[in-house]
Amino acid sequence: MQDKSMNASLKMLLDIAEQMILEKGCRATTLQDIADRGGLTKGAIYHYVKSKDELFGLILEAGMETTNQRFFESVARAPEGREGLAGPLNTLSERLGHVAGTDNAANLIFIYLLSQNDKPAVAAILNRYYEAAVQTSKKWIEVGQQHGAIPEHVDAEKAARMFAIFKNGLQVQHIVSPDGGEIGDRDIFQFMMNALGGGRD
């Protein structure tokens, strides 16, 4: 999956799939539905993926890439040192809050794929997604350390794995406890700031 290049046709497929998931849900959305709405044959979709689950996995990866781009745009605008941590963390907090929402296709996909984790192909998709999230977060932390915004003593690998667990927990929280209290962007921001040593003198 990770070697698929994002051309206009694939992006259109992902956009259509996201719209249909929000309209019908993951289970009810079929590759034939997506093909019909896009004016394509089902075979055209199979040029990119082998299954609906793989297409859904690509949507998760595309969302992660969008977050990565926004993070680095924020880093480019941030000042050096600890004060430079706020902008990029704010960007990530907003994205995490958005991804964890019940009106977000990526969150619906994540929960749907989790429910099928007993299938080896789906387990592989989830594992790839998790490991990509960890490596992306690790890169963000290392960039923060290089810019003096995150203390050197922070273990980037461990912190990245903790953030992946936190993100997955946010995604599941809305399903298992919809009335369990809102965790807002500001709460996420403060949690990450404290975890990365930005809230300490």
Side-chain angles (χ1 to χ4, degrees), residues 74-150:
S74 181
V75 166
R77 296 187 301 268
E80 290 289 319
R82 280 177 132 180
E83 60 275 10
L85 186 59
L89 277 190
N90 193 48
T91 297
L92 294 179
S93 301
E94 289 171 0
R95 286 294 293 169
L96 277 174
H98 173 70
V99 167
T102 53
D103 60 345
N104 181 277
N107 191 39
L108 298 174
I109 290 168
F110 179 71
I111 300 301
Y112 168 75
L113 292 176
L114 273 182
S115 74
Q116 300 189 81
N117 193 44
D118 57 327
K119 297 178 183 176
V122 173
I125 290 167
L126 285 168
N127 182 260
R128 255 192 318 270
Y129 176 60
Y130 172 76
E131 287 302 328
V134 168
Q135 292 312 310
T136 301
S137 296
K138 181 180 176 187
K139 184 170 44 173
W140 295 339
I141 293 165
E142 289 170 345
V143 166
Q145 289 173 324
Q146 290 163 8
H147 285 66
I150 298 173

